Amino acid sequence: MFKRISGTKDILPDETPSWQEVEDLGRKVFSLYNYREVRPPLLEEAKLFSRSLGEFAEVVQKQMFLVKNQDELYALRPEATASVARAYIENNLDKTYGFLKLYYTGAMFRLERPQKGRLRQFHHIGCEAIGSSLPEVDIEVISLANRLLEAWQVNNYTIKLNSLGCSEDKSKLSLNLRKALKSNKGSLCEDCKVRYEKNTLRILDCKNEACQEIVSKISLEEKHLCPECKAHFETVKNGLQNLGIRYEILPQLVRGLDYYTRTIFEIKHDALGTQDAIGAGGRYDNLLKELGGPDVGAMGFAFGVERILLASCGRLKKPEENLVYIITMGEKPKAQGLRLLQDLRREGIAADTDYEGKSLKGALRRANDLRAKRVLIIGEDELKKQIVTLKDMGSGEQKEIKQEDLIQSLRGANGGCEAKPKQTSS
Ligand code: HAM
């Protein structure tokens, strides 16, 4: 028997309504902010990610799902920012639109050690606003992330904010960190000893307790920022305050992907244990140019859908369809039932039937299992009288309805059961 690959998940029919609700609410909110959907492919040239995220980024070094095709090396996308940037450049969207606000949903792949909230195939819902370096865009993007969390009924989260500054500022930050860590270098974990030489900022992300303890004592506050980047960050902070969006400044926040510059943020949730980041993002003003595109700034974020669902604690559920279940008894009623089934579906009423010729009791049990709200019963008697028997599964009430009044009645506010019920056995 085949089993699913470790770190992947079957999202079963009982779970899909909450997934659909996250996506539907997401689409609605993105549209309100005038973001348009983009669907880049799941496969990209592997080099796109090493160039964008950085050769030494953990995602690139250890977590890429690589697909070899003759001489080409492809990767299942570990994130979508690089893909969206590539699509923006390749399709000349700068020339058509200039500044463009895009959103996406879909599967991402990272070869990580699976645990609660950490999968190998997981799902992002995110956005990229490409073509502007203005701090007002950062304010909109962060407020949009905040609005999404409200729509998804996620509580108890904190927005952690920092600014890395421009490339020069990042180098300065890295240098400041090296200086500050020099005396403690020997106490860092083995990975961080390598990071110290090759990619010092990554030490700030290390999960090792000893490293975190050392890092927590270092003061990094905005000393690396040039006047322009400092002013940019001030505008972002003031703009968020103006909109009533709460955040915490976290000078240790650097993020694990190399493309970031200036504003970065991560959203943490109280109840998720070690995998507590429900979403994250930031500005990447150099990426488009580095990938051969125009010299324009960009900013975005992505939420992990699995973690959003954990954080929303089961509150998200798409309302169930008002399913109508048709039960027929006898050959002629069956043919009439199938015509009625087609009519109801055409009229936009969700409907199903029992094809297996179950007894009335068995078919009612099936209707109950399917959580049908109403059942239509058609037997020889109903056919002769040109009526159907309508049973409300909630109250158990039953009544007879003329065939021509049926659609109207099913559309009625309380399921067509407003008339005085007639008690019949079932
Ligand atoms: P990221 O922080 O790597 O950023 O991923 C964003 C979110 O995806 C995380 O906060 C987390 O909720 C979720 N996530 C990441 N890895 C996993 C996993 N293995 N299992 C489950 N959930 C996971 C990015 O990917 C950037 N592209 C975000 C961005 C967009 N920055 C600018 N624009």
Side-chain angles (χ1 to χ4, degrees):
M1 197 173 59
F2 290 108
K3 296 226 161 125
R4 67 189 154 72
I5 295 168
S6 162
T8 66
K9 204 174 154 341
D10 297 311
I11 304 162
L12 298 172
D14 278 349
E15 297 167 82
T16 43
S18 38
W19 279 77
Q20 288 166 348
E21 189 67 350
V22 171
E23 288 159 5
D24 290 353
L25 289 169
R27 282 176 209 287
K28 206 160 144 193
V29 173
F30 280 128
S31 299
L32 289 172
Y33 282 69
N34 195 28
Y35 283 65
R36 296 167 68 193
E37 188 173 2
V38 60
R39 299 187 187 193
L42 272 66
L43 267 184
E44 297 275 2
E45 264 186 69
K47 265 197 207 122
L48 170 68
F49 300 110
S50 46
R51 279 284 288 282
S52 307
L53 318 188
E55 287 291 348
F56 296 106
E58 185 138 326
V59 176
V60 171
Q61 290 233 312
K62 299 187 188 159
Q63 299 173 351
M64 291 249 274
F65 271 96
L66 296 169
V67 182
K68 206 164 166 355
N69 177 38
Q70 292 170 352
D71 293 336
E72 315 263 12
L73 197 58
Y74 302 147
L76 287 174
R77 63 180 184 190
E79 58 106 60
T81 308
S83 296
V84 175
R86 193 240 347 107
Y88 181 88
I89 299 165
E90 190 175 345
N91 296 290
N92 294 314
L93 298 184
D94 57 320
K95 299 193 180 71
T96 322
Y97 300 101
F99 180 51
L100 183 59
K101 304 197 284 189
L102 299 164
Y103 77 88
Y104 48 86
T105 64
M108 309 290 152
F109 304 86
R110 294 184 193 175
L111 199 54
E112 301 200 73
R113 206 149 32 82
Q115 62 178 84
K116 185 183 167 204
R118 189 166 75 188
L119 292 118
R120 290 179 167 179
Q121 178 182 329
F122 59 100
H123 297 77
H124 269 172
I125 183 159
C127 68
E128 313 295 344
I130 304 181
S132 171
S133 303
L134 289 173
E136 285 74 16
V137 174
D138 307 38
I139 298 163
E140 179 178 281
V141 166
I142 297 172
S143 69
L144 166 56
N146 191 62
R147 178 68 201 106
L148 280 166
L149 290 171
E150 285 172 4
W152 291 327
Q153 302 182 52
V154 175
N155 307 320
N156 304 326
Y157 60 87
T158 318
I159 302 175
K160 311 271 185 188
L161 190 69
N162 194 19
S163 175
L164 295 171
C166 54
S167 304
E168 292 75 36
D169 294 352
K170 271 173 84 176
S171 308
K172 205 163 147 197
L173 177 64
S174 182
L175 206 71
N176 291 351
L177 186 61
R178 276 168 79 97
K179 275 189 207 151
L181 286 172
K182 201 168 175 193
S183 56
N184 284 313
K185 199 176 143 191
S187 315
L188 294 170
C189 74
E190 288 313 306
D191 279 347
C192 281
K193 283 183 186 137
V194 178
R195 289 177 185 136
Y196 183 88
E197 302 301 338
K198 292 196 166 152
N199 200 355
T200 321
L201 291 182
R202 285 288 78 72
I203 296 174
L204 297 176
D205 284 333
C206 183
K207 298 280 179 276
N208 180 295
E209 268 180 35
C211 297
Q212 283 186 348
E213 170 84 18
I214 294 169
V215 160
S216 68
K217 290 184 183 137
I218 299 171
S219 159
L220 293 165
E221 280 146 50
E222 296 185 24
K223 280 183 234 148
H224 59 291
L225 293 182
C226 66
E228 291 78 27
C229 291
K230 211 175 167 73
H232 191 278
F233 197 35
E234 279 310 307
T235 311
V236 175
K237 289 189 281 187
N238 291 335
L240 291 175
Q241 268 158 30
N242 179 42
L243 297 180
I245 292 162
R246 287 200 296 199
Y247 59 84
E248 279 176 19
I249 299 291
L250 183 64
Q252 270 81 12
L253 182 67
V254 285
R255 308 273 302 118
L257 312 170
D258 272 8
Y259 51 60
Y260 288 114
T261 49
R262 289 192 165 172
T263 314
I264 49 169
F265 67 104
E266 206 159 83
I267 305 179
K268 306 264 191 190
H269 193 272
D270 284 358
L272 293 193
T274 49
Q275 305 305 313
D276 61 350
I278 50 176
R283 190 159 264 298
Y284 45 97
D285 286 343
N286 301 327
L287 180 64
L288 278 285
K289 191 166 164 234
E290 272 165 25
L291 294 178
D295 187 4
V296 293
M299 164 95 187
F301 65 76
F303 282 109
V305 179
E306 288 79 1
R307 294 188 194 176
I308 291 296
L309 287 169
L310 286 171
S312 72
C313 305
R315 281 186 290 271
L316 281 173
K317 254 209 159 72
K318 201 178 165 69
E320 277 179 25
E321 288 286 356
N322 269 326
L323 185 71
V324 174
Y325 197 73
I326 299 177
I327 300 174
T328 56
M329 280 157 304
E331 276 313 301
K332 280 192 185 149
K334 188 174 175 183
Q336 167 68 6
L338 291 176
R339 280 195 298 277
L340 185 57
L341 187 62
Q342 176 169 271
D343 289 348
L344 293 189
R345 289 168 170 171
R346 275 206 181 115
E347 290 293 329
I349 297 169
D352 204 352
T353 192
D354 159 46
Y355 290 113
E356 294 165 44
K358 285 193 174 66
S359 67
L360 179 60
K361 202 170 166 196
L364 279 169
R365 203 176 303 124
R366 174 87 181 133
N368 198 42
D369 291 347
L370 291 173
R371 296 198 280 265
K373 298 277 185 294
R374 288 160 293 174
V375 165
L376 300 178
I377 303 165
I378 310 173
E380 298 289 351
D381 199 31
E382 277 88 355
L383 208 60
K384 233 179 277 157
K385 293 199 294 208
Q386 297 200 331
I387 55 153
V388 296
T389 299
L390 173 66
K391 182 180 170 81
D392 182 298
M393 293 296 278
S395 63
E397 292 166 4
Q398 259 184 223
K399 64 173 187 161
E400 292 179 348
I401 296 183
K402 282 197 204 134
Q403 273 179 20
E404 68 254 36
D405 296 338
L406 183 62
I407 304 272
Q408 194 60 29
S409 184
L410 288 173
R411 288 223 176 97
N414 57 0
C417 288
E418 62 278 2
K420 199 173 179 306
K422 178 185 112 181
Q423 251 5 89
T424 19
S425 60
S426 55

